[in-house]
Amino acid sequence: MWGRNVYDSISKFLQFQLTVNIVAVIVAFTGACITQDSPLKAVQMLWVNLIMDTFASLALATEPPSESLLLRKPYGRNKPLISRTMMKNILGHAVYQLTLIFTLLFVGEELAQTWGSAHKQLGC
């Protein structure tokens, strides 16, 4: 039961970390190529990694095992650590995050101005 729980925790941690790091690298590289300046400075990237690594490891590694873990078959020795489902989740979440970040990066100022002027017109 504990072994399966550790394996599941490692899988969750890897999925989370790969998603965050893929997004951070693509944002830094693409942003630097398009705007000629990286949207994330070196210190900001270090803080993102520090916070993401710390909180992810605490959140994903402290889940207690349950009896339901014993109901499934054990994984084989040759089973890849990153499954096809995990890869789909990583890529899907990365695309979602990149869409949101690039929207804020490239169109965020216009959205904020539009929202601000609409907010003023409503008298809020």
Side-chain angles (χ1 to χ4, degrees), residues 1-114:
M1 182 168 58
W2 282 95
R4 292 179 188 188
N5 189 47
V6 168
Y7 185 88
D8 288 348
S9 295
I10 291 170
S11 294
K12 291 175 191 175
F13 181 77
L14 276 176
Q15 182 174 334
F16 180 79
Q17 285 299 313
L18 286 173
T19 304
V20 169
N21 287 324
I22 286 171
V23 170
V25 167
I26 291 174
V27 166
F29 180 76
T30 307
C33 289
I34 293 173
T35 64
Q36 303 300 321
D37 188 28
S38 180
L40 294 172
K41 306 296 182 222
V43 174
Q44 291 170 328
M45 286 287 278
L46 289 172
W47 274 107
V48 166
N49 280 326
L50 179 69
I51 291 169
M52 289 291 116
D53 290 346
T54 304
F55 291 136
S57 63
L58 286 174
L60 299 174
T62 56
E63 187 176 330
S66 64
E67 294 291 328
S68 64
L69 290 172
L70 296 175
L71 299 176
R72 72 164 195 238
K73 292 182 180 180
Y75 296 119
R77 289 178 184 244
N78 296 329
K79 182 187 178 293
L81 191 56
I82 300 172
S83 67
R84 187 178 304 264
T85 303
M86 281 178 63
M87 188 56 70
K88 287 178 186 177
N89 287 339
I90 290 168
L91 294 176
H93 286 279
V95 167
Y96 172 73
Q97 291 175 22
L98 286 169
T99 302
L100 185 65
I101 289 171
F102 284 141
T103 300
L104 292 174
L105 182 64
F106 296 119
V107 195
E109 191 172 333
E110 290 92 17
L111 289 175
Q113 289 173 354
T114 304

